[in-house]
Structure formats: structure tokens, C-alpha cells
Amino acid sequence: MKKVFFLVVMFSMMTSTMFAGGIKTDYRNAIILAYSQANSIYEDDNIKLEIYNEQLWATNKTKKTIFIDLAQCFTFHNGAAKPMFDPSKNKQDDDKKASKKGKSTKEDEYITIAPSIGAKQNETFVCNMSTFIYGNYTTSETPSNDFTEYDKRLLSIVEELVSESKEANPKGKDYKGTAVRHLTEDESINNIGASVAYAFNKNTENWTNISLSTWVSDVIFAPYYVEMPQDLKKKDKKGFGIKETAPAVVHVRANSPFEFDEDRSPIIVCDWEGNYKKGTFTLAPTWIMKKQGTSFWRVLGAVFTYGATLLKPLSETAYKKNIHFDGANSDWGKLSYASEVMKTGQGD
């Protein structure tokens, strides 16, 4: 009887210990690119340009409509220029940003920026700035197929950061440590910028050309996971009160390189996945998108439509995200590598 009692006590102690420190974190690795805040803004008497949240935004400071001629505008990445205007794609039909964009002309070559009305107004979206960054990298190739000095420095720093991260778990195959580098402009691994032509009349010949560019001042290799918000249920949606869904939070196991406004973040968290033996890695966005599951009615409809309803893509919910630096020495419990961004998270 005493032996049985002893075993019960020991089991209880082990169970309580397990639950006390039983946090499990499904994580992935990230390359965090922190751009110089001082260089991310251009401003004159008429217009303000800002690079934040991976995009270029414009604000009209005057009482007149401003026209941006996309045919005269360019984006820059590591010294290479690319025209902003793409005739094959209507840049004004992006539903996600339609409320913040100006209305284009039939030629679809202009962005209009509404006059300032004194009160706070939304900035106008101009273009994405991170598209050059994402893609597959090898020891001799980059997504842009332009092997610049920036690319060479990026590959060298990734080698250093990954090796340093591995030292936190030398016997394992995963990268669990945090590694950081602060860079000068001459040492930077990435430079993005834009040249913009604007005027107060789209038929004028006198366009004002302005430009801005910013560079990565800090690069971090660290684990991260996504904390998803609680979706509103049907019962929560009743009535007419304010019912706002909280943003998703990207938790980074590192210290913040500097203070920044979460709504205007100059920091890009890139999902990183690499193969050391093959010398390849991929940088992908950490956009938080969740597909709606297949419902009973969708499956039932397929019975009567010979599967046609199943061919329709599932709808997706896009979540606003905030970046939170938990600290390089934060206790995340047991770390387990996750196969996808949406499979990361923390639980007991």
C-alpha cells in the first residue's frame, strides 16, 4: 500500500511539473530586415512620401489635387530600377487597398491624391516595396537574377547568422538561437527606394521628380511564431456596437533594434527556410491569411453539381499583423519547428 501511495505521489509531482513548465512553441525562423527610419521619409511643401509596412505611401499637404504619373516613376532595389507602371496589370483594382488609393484615369497611368482637408486623412498607397526581396536564393543566384554586392553581403551575413544560431542547439538540426548584426550604409545587405514624378495637372509638361531610398541598418536571424486573434463568433456579431477583431501578433525571439510605430513599421519579418547541404534558402512573406474550411453545405452542394462547388476557391481572411519583440532570452518553453506559418503558435 505504501508503495502504491509513493507511486501516486511521484506521478502527481511529475504531472504538476510538466504542466508548470509545459509551454510548447511551434516556431519558424525569420530574417528580420530593419530599415533606417531616418531615410524612410521624404517631405517637401507639397507631398510626403513614406516607406513602411513593406509599401510606399504618399500624403498630399496642399489644397489641390496631386497627380502621380506612374509612367515616369520607378522603384529601386540594390541599384536596379524598375518602372512602376505595368500596362498588363491594373494597379487600381487591388480590393484590399481600394479605399486608400486614388482613382486612375482611363489610361491607368496616374494615381490621384486628394487635397488636404485639414483633418487627419489616410495616406494614399503607391506601390509595394518588398517584392524584390522574396524568392529563392542560392550561393550564386538571387530572385532578381542580379548578383550585386548587396546580394554577396546578404549571403555572407546569412552564413554567419545561421552558424551562430546553430550554436544554441549544436546537436540538433534546427536553428533556435538569435543572432544580430548592426550595419552601416556601406555594409548594408539591402537597399530599396523610389523615384516619383508629381504635378497638379496631369496634362502639364512640368513634373516634379523626387526620390527617397532606405537601407537595412539591422538584420536579425531568430525564431518567431504567430499569435492568432480570436475570430468573432455569430453571437458576438449581434447588435450594432463596436466589434473589432484584434490583429495577429508576430512574436520574434529577439530584442527590438530600435523603437518604432507598429502602424508604420520600417521592419520586415521574412519567413526563412534553408537547406545547408544544398546551399539554398527561401525568403517568403509572413502575411497572415487563413482559409475558410469546407462547410457541410459546400459538400452537399457538390453532390448536386457533380463537384462544381468544390472547384470554387475557399475564401480567405487576411489579418492585420503587429510585430512584437519578446527579447532574445525570452522563455518560450519547448521549441518545435513548424512546417507552415499558419501552423506556428504557443500552447500548453
Side-chain angles (χ1 to χ4, degrees):
M1 187 69 181
K2 289 183 178 180
K3 186 180 292 186
V4 174
F5 178 77
F6 176 77
L7 291 174
V8 171
V9 172
M10 288 298 295
F11 178 79
S12 300
M13 291 176 63
M14 290 174 61
T15 304
S16 62
T17 302
M18 287 173 58
F19 280 99
I23 295 176
K24 178 185 175 183
T25 301
D26 294 319
Y27 79 100
R28 287 183 63 81
N29 291 113
I31 288 283
I32 296 99
L33 304 177
Y35 288 86
S36 170
Q37 294 187 101
N39 297 76
S40 297
I41 300 175
Y42 169 88
E43 193 168 6
D44 62 21
D45 293 337
N46 302 320
I47 195 170
K48 180 179 182 181
L49 297 178
E50 296 179 84
I51 296 176
Y52 63 82
N53 293 343
E54 309 183 34
Q55 297 156 343
L56 176 64
W57 302 84
T59 304
N60 190 346
K61 299 171 62 178
T62 75
K63 302 297 183 182
K64 298 180 290 183
T65 300
I66 285 180
F67 297 87
I68 292 179
D69 183 4
L70 292 178
Q72 299 186 60
C73 296
F74 300 86
T75 56
F76 297 95
H77 179 242
N78 293 348
K82 179 182 178 182
M84 275 190 200
F85 178 60
D86 183 358
S88 65
K89 182 180 179 182
N90 187 339
K91 294 182 180 297
Q92 299 293 336
D93 286 342
D94 186 344
D95 293 337
K96 296 176 184 176
K97 302 184 180 69
S99 63
K100 292 188 177 182
K101 284 186 177 182
K103 183 178 180 181
S104 66
T105 65
K106 62 181 181 180
E107 294 87 4
D108 196 37
E109 296 182 1
Y110 300 93
I111 291 178
T112 54
I113 309 178
S116 172
I117 56 175
K120 178 71 176 73
Q121 62 189 54
N122 287 332
E123 298 82 358
T124 298
F125 170 79
V126 179
C127 67
N128 287 313
M129 297 297 296
S130 62
T131 53
F132 295 107
I133 300 169
Y134 300 128
N136 300 319
Y137 291 78
T138 72
T139 53
S140 60
E141 294 178 307
T142 65
S144 62
N145 295 318
D146 189 12
F147 206 56
T148 66
E149 289 300 317
Y150 287 98
D151 299 320
K152 295 175 184 178
R153 290 196 290 264
L154 168 63
L155 293 171
S156 296
I157 284 183
V158 166
E159 171 79 11
E160 294 176 10
L161 296 177
V162 168
S163 299
E164 189 175 320
S165 173
K166 191 67 177 292
E167 293 175 1
N169 184 35
K171 294 183 179 180
K173 64 177 181 178
D174 297 327
Y175 306 103
K176 298 183 178 180
T178 298
V180 181
R181 292 291 185 278
H182 177 73
L183 308 173
T184 65
E185 186 172 3
D186 293 334
E187 298 169 335
S188 185
I189 60 174
N190 201 268
N191 183 295
I192 55 176
S195 176
V196 174
Y198 77 89
F200 295 104
N201 184 337
K202 68 180 180 181
N203 297 318
T204 185
E205 295 182 357
N206 299 317
W207 292 84
T208 300
N209 290 284
I210 56 178
S211 60
L212 79 164
S213 64
T214 184
W215 44 275
V216 172
S217 60
D218 296 87
V219 58
I220 303 170
F221 184 83
Y224 82 95
Y225 74 90
V226 177
E227 178 188 355
M228 293 296 295
Q230 291 289 330
D231 290 328
L232 294 174
K233 296 181 173 58
K234 287 185 178 180
K235 64 177 183 179
D236 300 325
K237 298 179 181 180
K238 293 181 179 179
F240 301 100
I242 297 174
K243 301 173 181 67
E244 186 176 3
T245 301
V249 180
V250 176
H251 289 268
V252 180
R253 200 180 186 198
N255 298 319
S256 177
F258 44 68
E259 293 185 3
F260 63 95
D261 184 346
E262 285 190 343
D263 291 330
R264 287 175 169 76
S265 173
I267 295 175
I268 299 177
V269 178
C270 304
D271 182 74
W272 182 93
E273 190 166 16
N275 188 317
Y276 187 82
K277 290 183 179 180
K278 293 183 179 181
T280 63
F281 66 88
T282 301
L283 295 183
T286 53
W287 300 329
I288 314 302
M289 307 283 292
K290 186 162 68 173
K291 286 188 176 182
Q292 181 182 358
T294 301
S295 66
F296 168 78
W297 298 109
R298 179 183 173 93
V299 175
L300 183 63
V303 175
F304 297 98
T305 60
Y306 299 97
T309 58
L310 295 178
L311 296 177
K312 184 179 179 181
L314 293 171
S315 61
E316 290 184 324
T317 300
Y319 294 86
K320 178 184 177 182
K321 71 175 182 182
N322 288 338
I323 302 170
H324 189 272
F325 288 87
D326 290 356
N329 299 316
S330 56
D331 184 8
W332 279 8
K334 182 181 179 181
L335 296 180
S336 298
Y337 192 75
S339 59
E340 299 175 11
V341 174
M342 288 304 299
K343 292 183 179 179
T344 64
Q346 204 172 64
D348 296 330

